[in-house]
Each structure stands twice: as structure tokens, then as C-alpha cells.
């Protein structure tokens, strides 16, 4: 089972992505990724290319914000 592919960072001509299911890391050629993609975006593979899954990206960002609020003990 493949989890979400999340862009960790860009290095040269590659995007370093993490598979959320396996915690494995892979390099994907930037030429195969949507030009608008940025760090933290969730990718899906369609038609031989990686595109940004806007819905999954937004859901992940909201979850992270909620976790950060819970950690704020001030």
C-alpha cells in the first residue's frame, strides 16, 4: 500500500518525497512533477506525471495546524 507522497524538499533536478505509509524517501525528477508544486504538497500519480492533490494537501495542513494548536500550552 502506498501512502501519501509528500514533498519534503527540492534538490537540484529532483524533489525529495516521503511516503507517509512506509516513511521511505525517494527522489522524483522535477520534470515529472507539476510546476506549481512546493514543499509540503501531497502528490498523486496520474497520466505518467505527479500532480498536486490540493484536497489532500489542504487536509494535511489543517491537521498540522490543529496539532500545533493543541501543543500550544500558553
Amino acid at each position: 500500500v502506498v501512502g501519501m507522497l509528500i514533498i519534503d524538499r527540492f534538490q537540484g533536478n529532483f524533489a525529495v518525497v516521503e511516503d507517509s505509509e512506509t516513511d521511505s524517501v525517494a527522489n522524483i525528477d522535477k520534470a515529472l512533477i507539476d510546476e506549481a508544486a512546493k514543499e509540503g504538497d501531497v502528490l498523486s500519480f496520474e497520466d505518467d506525471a505527479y500532480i498536486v492533490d490540493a484536497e489532500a494537501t489542504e487536509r494535511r495542513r489543517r491537521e498540522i495546524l490543529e496539532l500545533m494548536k493543541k501543543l500550544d500550552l500558553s
Side-chain angles (χ1 to χ4, degrees):
V1 174
V2 174
M4 291 187 295
L5 294 178
I6 303 161
I7 299 174
D8 180 64
R9 64 188 177 279
F10 292 97
Q11 286 185 317
N13 291 329
F14 294 94
V16 179
V17 298
E18 178 184 348
D19 182 324
S20 65
E21 183 74 21
T22 64
D23 288 331
S24 62
V25 176
N27 292 329
I28 298 175
D29 191 323
K30 283 171 55 174
L32 299 174
I33 299 174
D34 181 354
E35 289 181 12
K38 57 191 177 300
E39 293 175 357
D41 282 347
V42 176
L43 299 176
S44 61
F45 189 72
E46 295 180 18
D47 300 324
D48 297 325
Y50 292 90
I51 62 168
V52 175
D53 184 333
E55 185 177 308
T57 298
E58 183 57 33
R59 183 172 50 248
R60 183 172 174 273
R61 287 194 175 122
R62 280 195 310 266
E63 289 171 358
I64 290 169
L65 286 173
E66 286 300 315
L67 287 172
M68 289 173 61
K69 286 181 186 177
K70 289 179 183 177
L71 293 173
D72 184 14
L73 302 175
S74 55

